Every structure is written in C-alpha cells, then in structure tokens.
Amino acid sequence: MLLHLSLKQFAVVTEAELAFGPGLTVISGETGAGKSLLVDALGLISGLRADSGVVRHGADRAELVAEFALDDVPLAASWLREQELDEDEACQIRRVIRADGGSRAWVNGRPVTLGQLGELAALLVEIHGQHEHQALLSRPSQLALLDAFGRTDAERRAVEAAAGRWSALLAERDTLLAQGDVSDRIDWLEHQHAELDREDLAPDAIARVQSDHRRHAHAAGLIAACEGAFAQLGGEDGPSLSRTLQHVRSDLARVAEHEPRLGEVDAMLDAATIQVDEALSLLDRVRSDLDLDPSAFDAIEHRLGRLHELARKHRVTPEQLGAQRDTIAVELDSLRGAGVRLAKLDGEIDAARTAWREVAQVLSARRRDAAAHLSSSTSALIGELGMGGGRFDVELEPLDTERPDPQGAERVEFMVAANPGQPARPLRKVASGGELSRISLAIEVAALGLDAVATMVFDEVDTGIGGAVAEIVGQKLRALGASRQVLCVTHLPQVAAQGHAHYRVSKAKSEGVTQSAVQLLKAKEREEELARMLGGVELTREARAAAKRLLADVV
C-alpha cells in the first residue's frame, strides 16, 4: 500500500507531501491546477521515461519519493529479497530527474535501473486511464487476472510442472539427436582412452617417475658429492670429522675433573658424534642406491617423454592426465547408451505430452467458466457506468499444443464493444481514455481486486459522464476500496463524495509564476470543495446544501 508521496520541483509543484491510507482517496481541483500531476509522478516512480519538461522552471532537478508498506504485497517483498534490495518491511522508491534530461533511481537507498524500477512498481501500483500506464492492456496481465478471478492456482501450477517435465525431455532428445552418428566419435574416444589407460597416471606415480628422472640425470654428480662427503666425515685415509670429534673428547676427558662444565661440552660432542654417524650411514645408503646404468635412465626418460607427449596432445599437465582419462570414460559411457536412451525417450515424451494435455484441459475448463462469469459481470457493470449496450468478452485463443507451454493451452484477449451494434475490439485498441478507464474500473470491480497489485490509480475515470452514472462510478470505486487501496483523480462531486480521504489541488501565481499546492481537506473544507465542484466559482447556499447531501448519502 502507498503510504507517502513527496514531490519537489516537479512541473508546477514546488513542494508537496501526501499521506495515504486504505480505502478510496480522491483528488480534485480546478482545470489546469495539476491534479493529474500526481498520477504522472507515480508513473515516473513506476519507471516511465522522463524528459527535462517535468522539472520546474528555474530548478536544476525534480525529486519524487514514494514509500510503500509491504504487508499486503508479498510478491513485491519477495522481489526485493531476490534483488537484495530489502530493508526491513519498508520500500522507498526515489527518483531524480535533472534539468538536462538525465535521471537516476534508488530503491531503499540503493541505485537501480529503470528496468528494475518497472519490475518492482508493477507489483506495487497499477495506473488506469492512460494507455501507456494501463497494466490491463497487457495480455499476460489479462491472463493473470482471469486466473486470479477463476482461482486456478492449483491447476496453473500443475500445468507449469507438466510443461517443465515435457520440456526437459525434449531438450534431452534434441541434444542426443544433435550428436548424429556417434560411431566415429566412439572409436576415436576408445583409442584415446586406451592410450591413456596404458600408463600409470596416479599423481604419486607421476611424481615418482619425475623424481627418478632427476636423480638418474644427476647420478654422476650425486655419487661424487656423496663420496666426498663420506671421506670428509669418516674416511679412513686422512683426517675426518668423526676422528677429530673422538680426539677432542679424549683430550677433554683427561682434564674434565678440574672443570665440571666440560662434562656438558662432552655431552654435546657425544650428541654431535651420534648425528655424524647417522649422517654417514644415510650417505652410505644413498650412495648404494645411485646407479650409472644408462639403460635404466633411458627407460625412465622414455616413460617421462610419453607422459609429456600425452599431456601436450590433450592440452593438460601430466598431473591432469588421470582426470582427462576419466572424463573420456564418462563421455564414452554416455555415447554408448545414447541409442538406448533415445528409444526410451520417445515413450517418455509421449507420456509427458499426454500428462500436460490432461492438466491443461482441466485449466482450460476452469478458465472458460471464469471467462463467462467475468464477461457477464463486467458487461453489466459497463452498462451501469454509462456505457449502455456495451459488451465485454473474455476471448480464449487456443494455442498449438505440440510444444509445452507453462501457461496452458490458450491465451486471453479482453474484448470490448463500447456501444450497441459495434463489433468487439481488443481492450488495448480502445481509443477513448475515459471509456478505457471505466472499462478497467468495471473489470477490477467485477474481479474484486483479485490481481496481486495493492494500489490502483484511476485518472479521470469519470470523463464524459454525470448525474446518476457519476454516483454509481463513485460507489464502485468505494466498493473496490474495501479490498484495495484506490486513488482517483476526478472532476465530479458525486465521485469525490465517495472518498474516504480527499485532496484538493489548487494553483496560484507567485511573482508571475504559476504554482500548485496540494491540501488534505477536513470535513468543512471538503463540503466547500464539493460545493465548488457542483456550482462553480460562486458558492451558493444551494450548492453547499447539495454538497452536504452528497456526503450524507455516502454509505
């Protein structure tokens, strides 16, 4: 529900703040005062493109802010969460239009595109009266309203699920058929897999052969280094570290009784001797493992060469060859089973098609019933709203059922004949704005506001009517206000009297510049405004009395 609307430097409005509640809020004012600017502002809040003409003359920008409560619009709340634009349970939309024609928009303080703004606003507010604002002109919206009127949620979900299953099977078959004759592909993959499978491609095996290759490639240097180190640490010919440590310990032992700390030195040297002995033992083992056998080196080099060749062939690293082999195996299994799967798919697709058609037929039957009831109810209301002899029809257009459609087996077109004897035409092609607004009102009243949008705006819905018809229009708007928030721009007192709240838009000149002001009317002010609407500039006693009667007659 719309809670608050703020306008700054917008057209002829310097600044205005409007608060809204549930029910019907009417907006009136003299011709040219700018009462429809509030509808224009909501249109821009809804993502319509703007030009610099909406910026008040002399200002550098216009700013529009609308705040909505989300407790009655769960779809909008869900959309905000999906877009990560949610902020508690509130929704603030802000739009700034610059004098150079540029504009920016924010939702809950975060910048959004006009496309996002339009998606969100479509869930929050529905504007009736201008072709470009009219949600009911959209065939998807018409289908959604009919389904809401017929309460077909369960049938619609069943059709969507059946269409999803059918589509998935068709896509799988198309993928398999697109592969064509796969025998050559199978032969090639089998060769590739066999070539890889001959090698031990385990990561530790590859690491081991790389290590062996490095060791054999540097065997001569390693042997020389090991032998030199062994000679220096513990060789029998010449001085060695091991014998030097033994001599030092012997020399210190002869005098250790005179200096206790030399015992600590001896312990350290003993530990060093042990470490040197262990190093000598490991050096001996390493040296024993080293081999200058050329044939062994050639074998290792040949295997490593094969691994690198396979890696280049498959455009992976040697370490990734095992994963490549497994990928080829998976594709082979898939291709070998393609023929069998294709044979099974045909039967599964036939079953899915039959299942979709069955649930689609159930949905179609519910829609036909709903269409008949909506057509008769709306046609009756059209007559009450001053379009005697007019007719409203919900036309169901069958679709090709050879492909799955999640929306069912038909599309909807709202058809209208505004006058007796005229052929029915699509609602989106109705030319008269006043007729279009009244037809939209009749549809909404007949459907009892069953569409998901919580706020409905009617702009000049009473154009071209008067008297008793005007009173009926007002009563229908008030009735609609029992289930939806309704805003109505009107010039008829019979309509304005039905409002739960009443705003007046007035204009005045200040320093040669026309300005508009918006005022929420109290009870006495409201009587005066209705009297003005009834009698013109001169507020006679009769006009005031008639205004009082209009307000008193509101139920």
Side-chain angles (χ1 to χ4, degrees):
M1 181 175 73
L2 178 64
L3 300 176
H4 186 265
L5 180 64
S6 171
L7 315 177
K8 292 182 180 179
Q9 306 299 339
F10 181 64
V12 293
V13 178
T14 303
E15 186 169 353
E17 302 283 340
L18 294 88
F20 298 96
L24 171 63
T25 298
V26 296
I27 301 165
S28 65
E30 297 177 4
T31 301
K35 54 184 179 290
S36 287
L37 284 176
L38 302 178
V39 179
D40 296 337
L42 286 173
L44 293 171
I45 287 288
S46 300
L48 292 181
R49 295 198 174 275
D51 57 46
S52 58
V54 302
V55 180
R56 180 174 170 75
H57 179 70
D60 59 353
R61 65 180 187 178
E63 182 173 345
L64 312 171
V65 180
E67 295 180 10
F68 293 85
L70 299 177
D71 51 351
D72 55 352
V73 276
L75 291 178
S78 176
W79 186 93
L80 287 168
R81 285 192 296 272
E82 291 172 2
Q83 301 290 320
E84 297 183 349
L85 294 169
D86 54 315
E87 190 72 33
D88 297 326
E89 292 301 317
C91 174
Q92 184 195 73
I93 299 177
R94 176 171 172 252
R95 187 160 182 198
V96 171
I97 301 103
R98 299 191 304 272
D100 62 7
S103 75
R104 294 185 65 190
W106 296 263
V107 171
N108 287 333
R110 303 179 185 98
V112 295
T113 65
L114 287 186
Q116 289 176 302
L117 197 61
E119 288 180 20
L120 173 59
L123 302 172
L124 293 170
V125 61
E126 190 173 279
I127 302 176
H128 298 265
Q130 301 297 325
H131 285 272
E132 62 270 27
H133 296 173
Q134 178 59 279
L136 281 179
L137 298 181
S138 160
R139 294 187 71 179
S141 295
Q142 295 174 1
L143 182 61
L145 189 144
L146 179 65
D147 281 338
F149 182 78
R151 292 177 171 83
T152 64
D153 287 350
E155 292 80 5
R156 180 75 174 258
R157 285 194 297 269
V159 169
E160 289 174 354
R165 289 192 295 271
W166 185 9
S167 295
L169 292 170
L170 289 174
E172 184 181 356
R173 185 178 66 180
D174 291 344
T175 300
L176 292 176
L177 290 174
Q179 294 175 346
D181 185 359
V182 296
S183 58
D184 291 342
R185 175 73 175 172
I186 290 175
D187 291 343
W188 183 78
L189 288 174
E190 285 177 340
H191 170 74
Q192 297 281 341
H193 188 267
E195 193 174 46
L196 290 169
D197 210 32
R198 284 194 293 267
E199 302 292 336
D200 185 353
L201 300 178
D204 57 342
I206 292 175
R208 189 165 55 250
V209 74
Q210 291 172 335
S211 175
D212 289 347
H213 182 266
R214 285 193 301 271
R215 188 169 63 253
H216 279 76
H218 299 87
L222 288 168
I223 290 172
C226 287
E227 289 178 345
F230 192 89
Q232 294 180 58
L233 290 174
E236 304 238 344
D237 301 326
S240 69
L241 180 58
S242 179
R243 284 196 298 275
T244 299
L245 289 171
Q246 291 173 4
H247 290 157
V248 171
R249 290 186 67 197
S250 295
D251 292 342
L252 291 175
R254 287 193 290 270
V255 296
E257 58 181 322
H258 306 301
E259 174 52 69
R261 287 177 293 179
L262 291 178
E264 294 180 26
V265 173
D266 184 66
M268 294 177 185
L269 291 173
D270 184 41
T273 301
I274 294 172
Q275 291 291 326
V276 169
D277 289 343
E278 289 182 356
L280 284 167
S281 178
L282 182 56
L283 271 172
D284 187 50
R285 291 197 302 273
V286 171
R287 172 60 187 87
S288 299
D289 290 341
L290 293 171
D291 192 353
L292 288 174
D293 183 2
S295 60
F297 178 62
D298 288 344
I300 293 171
E301 192 163 54
H302 180 67
R303 186 178 174 213
L304 188 62
R306 288 201 309 272
L307 291 174
H308 281 288
E309 182 182 353
L310 287 170
R312 286 192 298 272
K313 183 176 182 179
H314 292 276
R315 298 180 180 179
V316 296
T317 65
E319 292 77 12
Q320 294 171 325
L321 285 171
Q324 179 69 8
R325 177 197 57 204
D326 296 341
T327 299
I328 290 173
V330 169
E331 185 178 354
L332 268 172
D333 289 342
S334 173
L335 292 177
R336 286 167 180 157
V340 176
R341 180 60 184 148
L342 271 174
K344 290 183 178 179
L345 270 175
D346 288 339
E348 291 179 17
I349 288 171
D350 287 342
R353 181 191 297 111
T354 300
W356 178 86
R357 285 176 175 169
E358 288 175 353
V359 292
Q361 286 173 1
V362 175
L363 176 60
S364 297
R366 291 292 302 273
R367 282 174 172 168
R368 285 192 294 272
D369 290 343
H373 286 95
L374 183 59
S375 296
S376 60
S377 299
T378 305
S379 293
L381 286 166
I382 286 175
E384 291 183 49
L385 297 178
M387 298 172 63
R391 187 176 79 258
F392 175 84
D393 291 320
V394 179
E395 185 177 281
L396 299 179
E397 175 187 340
L399 297 178
D400 176 18
T401 59
E402 289 305 311
R403 300 293 295 181
D405 193 313
Q407 297 186 71
E410 58 277 315
R411 288 295 178 270
V412 169
E413 182 80 78
F414 287 177
M415 307 290 289
V416 175
N419 298 297
Q422 287 185 343
R425 294 189 301 147
L427 178 64
R428 52 194 164 86
K429 295 183 179 179
V430 172
S432 166
E435 288 179 346
L436 182 60
S437 291
R438 274 177 277 160
I439 292 167
S440 299
L441 173 61
I443 294 170
E444 293 293 352
V445 172
L448 299 175
L450 285 171
D451 50 1
V453 178
T455 300
M456 297 179 180
V457 182
F458 291 89
D459 185 15
E460 301 287 358
V461 69
D462 45 21
T463 299
I465 62 173
V469 174
E471 187 172 351
I472 293 172
V473 169
Q475 291 170 354
K476 299 303 181 186
L477 286 166
R478 189 177 179 92
L480 186 59
S483 59
R484 288 289 185 270
Q485 182 187 45
V486 180
L487 279 62
C488 178
V489 175
T490 182
H491 65 279
L492 291 180
Q494 295 92 333
V495 174
Q498 296 290 330
H500 297 93
H502 190 158
Y503 276 100
R504 178 179 63 203
V505 181
S506 57
K507 63 178 180 177
K509 282 193 175 182
S510 175
E511 298 179 358
V513 178
T514 300
Q515 297 186 27
S516 289
V518 184
Q519 178 186 4
L520 179 62
L521 301 181
K522 298 178 181 177
K524 188 63 178 177
E525 295 167 330
R526 194 171 180 189
E527 285 184 12
E528 293 293 301
E529 175 64 5
L530 291 178
R532 181 199 63 77
M533 297 172 76
L534 284 163
V537 178
E538 296 276 338
L539 296 184
T540 64
R541 189 185 333 175
E542 291 79 6
R544 287 189 171 93
K548 284 184 179 181
R549 282 196 302 274
L550 283 176
L551 291 171
D553 290 342
V554 173
V555 179

